Amino acid sequence: MMDQELILLNPGPACTSKRVKDALLRGDLCHREPEFTELLFRIREALPRCLNLGDTHEALLVTGSGTAAMEMAVISSVREGRAVLVVNNGVYGDRMIRIAKANGIPFYEIKSDWTVPADPGAVQAALDEHDDIDAVICIHHETTTGLINPIKEIGEIVHGRALFLIDAISGTAIEDQDLSEVKADVVCGTANKGLHGQPGMSFILCSEASIERIQEVPERSLYLNAASYLKGQRKGDVPFTPAVQVCYALDEAIKEYEEAGGFAARTKLYRERAALVRGQFERLGLKILVDEPFRSNTVTMLHLPDNVTYDALHDELKKRGYVIYAGQGQLSKDFFRICTMGEIPWHRLEELEEALRESIEAARG
Ligand SMILES: Cc1ncc(COP(=O)(O)O)c(C=O)c1O
């Protein structure tokens, strides 16, 4: 193992700055004290602003990983006897279906190939065919393959007919799409990933229509009922014990993000990183699964080189200071992922090319 810090090239948890890690040590704090209320108000106000939704959306924070935000969004958007339409082209689309099933919510599914972006025309057709759809769900960045879905186009179709929910968990503050141009009612995100906070807190950003809906749906879960978060958080309160230290870290990560230039600067950084590492992949002869126009700014799904297994490549790269990520589901045998998410020194990304070259050689069976 090198004596350099291990760089995580997986799509979260992502590496964080020293400043964000130090914020975890701000001290012990009871969430019923005014200092926590202040912290909560600051974060609630900042999150929509950070994602260009400051004038239109209200944040609800929940302790839990991104799936908690997804589940809260789904179960708080569909009225009794109504259904959800899930646009599914990857593991996270599948997870939305599983959430609907687990909560007894009727669903329709538009399933497509994992390497093909969702088809807005199919959403239009499904809305025309079924008159009981309360919410449409789409994953902005399908982390499964590093594929971007056309949320802007789908939002135009859904607007006024149903609520539009986007899972922006691995895309927020990373992908170029300005969310203020997307007609989304619920945006799911997390503290870690593109915001570079610590994992453990997630959030949903809600439009006015979504806030109204939250108050009309039945209570399907005690912990993930958005109505109780809405009621509490407007007063600076949370219904259950929050991950206080993760909130400290998120507060610091938001300051760091805004000081560095916010959305425009962070997305530019991610574009530059993608260009850098994809140039390396090309020189090394590594083939990318997803076609160019649909690629995200972070995840690249790559074919494993001939006679190289994922485990061998992973272990060789780890010896050289990098953690890569396996493919999921049907892609686990022949592919691997490299994700340039989080706080990564530029020189470590430049040095990745040599590390990859050596590791591929060493891993070749
Ligand atoms: C698109 C997407 N949605 C949701 C999640 C939530 O996963 P978790 O609950 O592990 O944070 C992830 C995590 O990588 C993701 O990439």
Side-chain angles (χ1 to χ4, degrees):
M1 166 71 80
M2 309 175 78
D3 44 11
Q4 298 202 73
E5 216 173 303
L6 200 56
I7 297 297
L8 302 182
L9 297 177
N10 49 277
C15 288
T16 55
S17 69
K18 177 171 183 316
R19 180 173 161 185
V20 166
K21 283 192 268 283
D22 286 349
L24 290 167
L25 303 175
R26 279 190 203 167
D28 299 325
L29 173 65
C30 171
H31 62 293
R32 305 287 176 216
E33 290 300 307
E35 290 84 351
F36 184 77
T37 301
E38 244 174 69
L39 176 67
L40 181 67
F41 278 151
R42 202 158 59 236
I43 296 173
R44 286 191 77 222
E45 210 191 308
L47 285 173
R49 184 177 71 231
C50 285
L51 302 173
N52 300 337
L53 295 172
D55 297 330
T56 51
H57 287 63
E58 178 169 349
L60 299 181
L61 262 94
V62 58
T63 294
S65 75
T67 306
M70 292 163 80
E71 190 148 9
M72 181 192 258
V74 176
I75 68 176
S76 307
S77 301
V78 186
R79 289 167 292 188
E80 196 69 64
R82 308 275 298 172
V84 69
L85 170 66
V86 180
V87 178
N88 177 3
N89 56 355
V91 165
Y92 296 97
D94 262 343
R95 189 171 297 180
M96 289 295 193
I97 297 282
R98 288 170 62 199
I99 288 172
K101 276 187 188 160
N103 288 282
I105 296 174
F107 64 91
Y108 302 105
E109 182 179 14
I110 299 174
K111 208 167 178 162
S112 58
D113 192 278
W114 281 11
T115 57
V116 180
D119 172 14
V123 174
Q124 172 95 52
L127 283 169
D128 290 344
E129 187 181 345
H130 308 289
D131 61 5
D132 59 345
I133 296 173
D134 249 2
V136 175
I137 302 178
C138 184
I139 313 297
H140 180 200
H141 168 221
E142 249 306 347
T143 323
T144 318
T145 48
L147 178 85
I148 292 294
N149 277 315
I151 51 170
K152 186 162 183 244
E153 291 77 357
I154 296 177
E156 293 296 332
I157 289 165
V158 176
H159 187 66
R161 302 184 71 175
L163 292 183
F164 186 38
L165 267 65
I166 56 171
D167 169 347
I169 286 171
S170 64
T172 38
I174 296 175
E175 299 307 330
D176 303 325
Q177 176 63 64
D178 180 341
L179 294 181
S180 69
E181 293 170 0
V182 178
K183 296 200 168 97
D185 293 290
V186 187
V187 176
C188 305
T190 73
N192 191 235
K193 308 223 194 264
L195 287 172
H196 300 188
Q198 294 290 338
M201 293 296 299
S202 56
F203 56 85
I204 58 173
L205 307 183
C206 306
S207 70
E208 232 177 274
S210 146
I211 294 285
E212 268 175 40
R213 176 67 57 78
I214 281 170
Q215 296 168 85
E216 288 174 58
V217 299
E219 185 183 64
R220 295 185 165 100
S221 154
L222 179 69
Y223 195 77
L224 295 174
N225 179 31
S228 41
Y229 285 80
L230 180 67
K231 199 162 154 236
Q233 292 189 12
R234 282 186 165 170
K235 293 185 291 166
D237 202 359
V238 280
F240 309 103
T241 308
V244 175
Q245 283 68 23
V246 178
C247 292
Y248 282 149
L250 176 57
D251 185 41
E252 201 61 42
I254 288 169
K255 279 189 205 149
E256 209 174 53
Y257 171 84
E258 294 199 307
E259 282 167 20
F263 180 80
R266 185 65 56 87
T267 49
K268 178 168 175 281
L269 172 69
Y270 276 103
R271 268 196 307 282
E272 289 170 353
R273 286 177 175 180
L276 174 72
V277 298
R278 287 176 190 160
Q280 300 175 349
F281 302 153
E282 199 178 334
R283 286 191 290 280
L284 292 166
L286 292 168
K287 298 261 175 314
I288 301 177
L289 177 70
V290 170
D291 288 342
E292 166 85 56
F294 316 127
R295 289 177 194 161
S296 74
N297 285 342
T298 45
V299 171
T300 311
M301 174 66 96
L302 296 152
H303 291 258
L304 278 163
D306 290 344
N307 304 317
V308 172
T309 64
Y310 171 75
D311 287 343
L313 183 60
H314 169 275
D315 294 354
E316 288 298 333
L317 271 165
K318 196 166 177 185
K319 283 186 212 162
R320 292 164 177 83
Y322 300 92
V323 172
I324 56 166
Y325 214 48
Q328 282 163 297
Q330 70 220 39
L331 300 176
S332 59
K333 205 169 134 280
D334 300 318
F335 293 87
F336 69 105
R337 284 176 290 178
I338 288 191
C339 175
T340 48
M341 187 185 279
E343 200 62 33
I344 308 175
W346 187 259
H347 73 95
R348 296 296 306 277
L349 286 180
E350 287 177 329
E351 290 157 12
L352 177 64
E353 182 166 0
E354 200 43 40
L356 265 169
R357 193 187 313 279
E358 287 174 11
S359 301
I360 292 168
E361 275 313 301
R364 198 152 257 146

